[in-house]
């Protein structure tokens, strides 16, 4: 697991740089918040057994990830992850042997809303079991993240935020029925 996490950190840093460039921002504007020693990768392992009544069960309640980026590897049934789009739950297709990257709340704050953390859930399946390993990538809890300046709508932007303070707020208020924790970081 240590080797996987070490290699994943390299991939996650490159993704942060690519996202910045894709938004026409300075390449290091996101990754500069991640100290190579103090930034954190938290690991969560989930197992969802086959469910005889998947319409009456939920695998993981709806939520957004508090992290900056989440790297998700899934094994088994491939139809368990859903995202809320236009008020409907849509199953995320996953090609075999691929990783899923999920934007988290901290990156939404850093990007000043230019990228959004999706409201998503895991649903039970009857046709097989599902196993997943999620890596949640965060700056050090003591890091103050600062939203980028050139947001499309500054009046609805985010404020500077200490990572640990945001995470405490997020977990103190979880679970919720809608994406509300991030309002704590709004200007």
């Amino acid at each position: 697991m240590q080797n996987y996490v070490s290699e994943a950190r390299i991939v996650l840093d490159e993704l942060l740089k690519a996202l910045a460039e894709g938004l026409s921002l300075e390449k290091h504007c996101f990754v500069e918040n991640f100290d190579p020693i103090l930034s954190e990768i938290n690991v969560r392992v989930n197992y969802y057994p086959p469910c005889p009544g998947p319409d009456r069960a939920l695998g993981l309640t709806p939520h957004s990830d508090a992290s900056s980026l989440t790297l998700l590897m899934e094994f088994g049934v491939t139809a368990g992850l859903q995202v809320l789009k236009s008020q409907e739950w849509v199953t995320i297709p996953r090609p075999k042997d691929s990783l899923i990257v999920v934007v988290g709340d901290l990156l939404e704050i850093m990007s000043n809303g230019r990228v959004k953390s999706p409201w998503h859930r895991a649903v039970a399946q009857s046709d097989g079991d599902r196993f997943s390993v999620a890596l949640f990538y965060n700056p050090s809890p003591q890091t103050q993240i600062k939203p980028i300046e050139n947001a499309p709508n500054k009046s609805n932007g985010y404020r500077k935020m200490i990572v640990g303070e945001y995470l405490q707020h997020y977990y103190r208020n979880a679970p919720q029925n809608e994406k509300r924790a991030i309002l704590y970081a709004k200007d």
Side-chain angles (χ1 to χ4, degrees), residues 156-177:
N156 264 347
Y158 292 93
R159 60 185 170 90
K160 293 178 186 176
M161 180 72 39
I162 302 294
V163 169
E165 290 176 11
Y166 181 76
L167 295 175
Q168 285 177 356
H169 170 78
Y170 177 93
Y171 290 111
R172 190 171 41 247
N173 291 288
Q176 297 180 348
N177 292 331

Side-chain angles (χ1 to χ4, degrees), residues 10-24:
I10 296 166
V11 171
L12 290 160
D13 284 343
E14 290 302 315
L15 286 169
L16 288 167
K17 291 174 192 174
L19 277 168
E21 287 185 312
L23 294 169
S24 299

Side-chain angles (χ1 to χ4, degrees), residues 88-110:
E88 290 193 34
W89 288 105
V90 177
T91 299
I92 301 297
R94 182 183 55 88
K96 186 175 171 56
D97 300 326
S98 63
L99 295 171
I100 295 173
V101 178
V102 180
V103 170
D105 289 356
L106 291 175
L107 189 56
E108 181 172 333
I109 294 165
M110 284 187 260

